[in-house]
Amino acid sequence: MKLSQFKFNLPESLLASNPSEERDEARLMVLHKDSGKIEHKVFKDVLDYFEDRDVMILNNTKVFPARLYGNKEKTGATIEVFLLRELNKELRLWDVLVDPARKIRVGNKLYFGDDDLLVAEVVDNTTSRGRTIRFLFDGTDEEFRKNVEILGETPLPKYIKRKATEEDKIRYQTIFAKHEGAVAAPTAGLHFSRELMKRLELKGVNFAEVTLHVGLGTFRSVEVEDLTKHKMDSEQFIIDETAVKIVNKGIEEKRRICAVGTTSMRAIESAVSANRTLKPANDWTSKFIFPPYDFSIANSMITNFHTPESTLLMMVSAFGGYDYVRHAYEVAVKEKYRFYSYGDAMLII
């Protein structure tokens, strides 16, 4: 397939800058693959589509406050440093993006916080905006993390043109987030409230938790017309024995297996055994899913509405069927569904 096949007109007014008032009260579009029917619901209605012993696969990664603002030594110029991932805990080496990048060279020192709570030195250039930095910090890892927590901002996507607030610390995080390591939220999971999780549990739905630490590569724009030439960035994922047992029992019993979000789907599709069941894994994946693709584990999916030409839209099109998903997106624009991270949801069954 070609990149241009995933273009569509998305009015800027439909990009959600704020979350819905209540997590489970975002809108929900339901796509029925067998009949081609489209329903318009509220997210908490997801309850009506799942039964006893069905399985929902959740990504329990936790977003850390990855956006820091610092000052460059001598000039005092303000620099934005976006923490991507820790390369070495002992040496406190991090892979980061810097802005404005042209001002940041190897050897420069960066100071964070009014009283220079953290200081870092640039040790390498990795890409045009990428750098490796080393934090010069003598305390414990716990103290270091606490300082990052104090100084860091919730890494809202760039399209949200406002400053991150205290509310974002809560709402740009799923209620089941456990393992820190993501620089963006697994957004389909943001719609689950404690009450909805409880009601699903009472109905007998089983939850299998996997971890995929979402990196910025998930949102990197595709710059080649031929999709087979696009390379995804690697993201770390972990699937333990407990999750494997829950999912495989569901497959065996021919239950509804629902991947909550594109990140959960990438994780499970990166850990398929020879007999098309799920297997444990602790690895990195650069899997790129676009039509046509034969899915092995999940037979349903919850996802948000994604932007034109994004790898996320490509995966959803592979799962729901290209023509059907294209039509659903036309309906979504007409019906003014909210798009992207804080937007509305879609259930494909």
Side-chain angles (χ1 to χ4, degrees):
M1 291 206 84
K2 303 279 183 270
L3 175 65
S4 49
Q5 289 174 272
F6 295 92
K7 263 197 177 102
F8 67 93
N9 183 32
L10 177 59
E12 206 165 306
S13 60
L14 298 185
L15 290 176
S17 293
N18 293 285
S20 55
E21 204 148 305
E22 300 294 334
R23 283 183 186 269
D24 56 15
E25 284 178 3
R27 292 165 76 191
L28 176 71
M29 182 187 278
V30 185
L31 272 58
H32 296 260
K33 283 205 284 188
D34 52 356
S35 65
K37 188 168 85 163
I38 291 178
E39 295 181 287
H40 303 287
K41 301 282 186 174
V42 174
F43 192 79
K44 59 171 75 160
D45 297 333
V46 85
L47 197 65
D48 301 337
Y49 298 91
F50 291 87
E51 300 299 333
D52 185 29
R53 302 206 305 281
D54 285 345
V55 179
M56 282 187 167
I57 302 167
L58 310 172
N59 182 4
N60 65 15
T61 187
K62 190 174 184 182
V63 180
F64 64 93
R67 188 172 277 129
L68 301 174
Y69 291 96
N71 300 97
K72 193 179 153 192
E73 64 176 334
K74 296 186 181 129
T75 66
T78 301
I79 304 295
E80 180 188 310
V81 174
F82 195 101
L83 303 175
L84 289 176
R85 62 176 178 228
E86 190 172 39
L87 300 172
N88 185 308
K89 197 178 277 230
E90 277 72 59
L91 298 175
R92 301 202 201 286
L93 282 179
W94 282 77
D95 208 354
V96 303
L97 294 176
V98 293
D99 199 21
R102 61 196 159 74
K103 293 185 175 176
I104 304 297
R105 300 190 174 89
V106 172
N108 286 161
K109 280 205 174 72
L110 307 172
Y111 297 88
F112 303 93
D114 295 339
D115 47 2
D116 301 339
L117 204 53
L118 288 176
V119 180
E121 183 182 10
V122 181
V123 295
D124 196 12
N125 284 343
T126 50
T127 61
S128 59
R129 285 184 59 215
R131 302 287 184 274
T132 302
I133 66 172
R134 179 173 63 233
F135 284 99
L136 311 171
F137 187 79
D138 289 335
T140 65
D141 192 54
E142 204 179 321
E143 288 165 338
F144 172 71
R145 304 254 159 204
K146 199 172 160 197
N147 287 355
V148 169
E149 194 72 39
I150 291 165
L151 297 168
E153 233 180 50
T154 302
L156 293 180
K158 280 286 193 193
Y159 82 90
I160 296 179
K161 303 282 190 260
R162 59 177 178 78
K163 290 285 275 180
T165 64
E166 280 302 303
E167 191 198 14
D168 291 311
K169 275 188 181 173
I170 298 160
R171 295 299 302 273
Y172 197 64
Q173 193 83 271
T174 64
I175 61 166
F176 41 80
K178 284 192 183 79
H179 304 296
E180 200 170 77
V183 298
T187 53
L190 297 179
H191 303 293
F192 286 83
S193 64
R194 293 195 193 286
E195 189 195 355
L196 179 58
M197 296 277 284
K198 196 79 208 148
R199 289 173 73 191
L200 285 162
E201 226 171 87
L202 290 171
K203 208 168 178 184
V205 174
N206 293 316
F207 297 110
E209 293 188 12
V210 301
T211 306
L212 181 136
H213 292 314
V214 191
L216 281 188
T218 294
F219 309 100
R220 179 164 297 165
S221 52
V222 179
E223 284 162 358
V224 286
E225 177 66 1
D226 177 357
L227 297 186
T228 60
K229 304 270 194 300
H230 178 68
K231 296 278 181 285
M232 293 285 279
D233 287 7
S234 278
E235 292 170 318
Q236 188 184 18
F237 75 105
I238 299 153
I239 299 174
D240 66 18
E241 200 61 65
T242 308
V244 166
K245 279 183 182 147
I246 295 167
V247 172
N248 288 345
K249 191 166 191 281
I251 293 172
E252 199 185 312
E253 294 177 354
K254 299 192 165 34
R255 305 306 310 175
R256 184 161 276 172
I257 313 287
C258 181
V260 176
T262 56
T263 59
S264 297
M265 187 70 90
R266 275 185 81 206
I268 60 179
E269 284 297 318
S270 301
V272 179
S273 71
N275 59 350
R276 290 170 74 89
T277 55
L278 191 62
K279 63 181 184 185
N282 185 342
D283 208 347
W284 292 75
T285 179
S286 53
K287 195 168 197 60
F288 175 31
I289 297 173
F290 60 93
Y293 182 85
D294 185 17
F295 290 83
S296 298
I297 307 293
N299 51 26
S300 63
M301 177 181 197
I302 293 170
T303 185
N304 276 24
F305 287 91
H306 306 293
T307 46
E309 301 185 314
S310 61
T311 59
L312 310 168
L313 173 59
M314 291 164 193
M315 182 197 286
V316 174
S317 301
F319 189 78
Y322 174 79
D323 293 329
Y324 187 27
V325 169
R326 188 164 184 87
H327 169 61
Y329 267 61
E330 283 164 10
V331 172
V333 170
K334 200 166 115 232
E335 296 291 331
K336 296 190 164 39
Y337 273 76
R338 287 152 40 95
F339 278 67
Y340 213 37
S341 301
Y342 271 150
D344 295 316
M346 175 187 273
L347 167 65
I348 306 175
I349 50 179

